[in-house]
């Protein structure tokens, strides 16, 4: 089992940057693929980015490609989301998620991960 705790959210002006962090408990963190999702008020949870257990492959939603970067440090049980050139439409609660059984692109972008954090809010002002 994995417990996830996000941090790093906050208020930022459009064009600014934030770095979200997700701390994971458990000795088998390195065997989990990790994802970031977000949910804006009144909208469904949507995929943002994902990374394989080794960090060898990453996936991004088209809306964040070129602006956001997902990375992980298995030695520290951490996953990060560097967010640059933020836009007001990036405003949402951002969630970290973990799953061991992701094999195809469709698995990585689906919000059916086994474990979720509590979320950290990001507000981008115009």
């Amino acid at each position: 089992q994995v417990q996830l705790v996000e941090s790093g959210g906050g208020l930022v002006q459009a064009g600014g940057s934030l770095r979200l962090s997700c701390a994971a408990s458990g000795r088998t963190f390195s065997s989990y693929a990790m994802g970031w999702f977000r949910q804006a008020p009144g909208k469904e949870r949507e995929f943002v980015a994902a990374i394989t257990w080794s960090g060898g492959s990453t996936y991004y939603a088209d809306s964040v490609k070129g602006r956001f970067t997902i990375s992980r440090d298995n030695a520290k049980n951490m996953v990060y989301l560097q967010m640059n050139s933020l836009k007001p439409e990036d405003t949402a609660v951002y969630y970290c998620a973990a799953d061991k059984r992701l094999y195809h692109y469709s698995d990585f972008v689906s919000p059916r991960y086994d474990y979720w954090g509590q979320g950290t809010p990001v507000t981008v002002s115009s």
Side-chain angles (χ1 to χ4, degrees), residues 20-69:
L20 304 184
S21 299
C22 175
S25 65
R27 292 176 289 179
T28 60
F29 169 75
S30 61
S31 64
Y32 285 82
M34 302 296 296
W36 285 97
F37 289 77
R38 66 187 181 187
Q39 188 165 18
K43 295 188 176 181
E44 293 186 352
R45 192 167 297 190
E46 66 173 0
F47 169 75
V48 176
I51 189 167
T52 54
W53 66 270
S54 66
S57 295
T58 56
Y59 307 94
Y60 296 94
D62 288 342
S63 59
V64 308
K65 204 170 292 183
R67 300 188 298 123
F68 291 11
T69 303

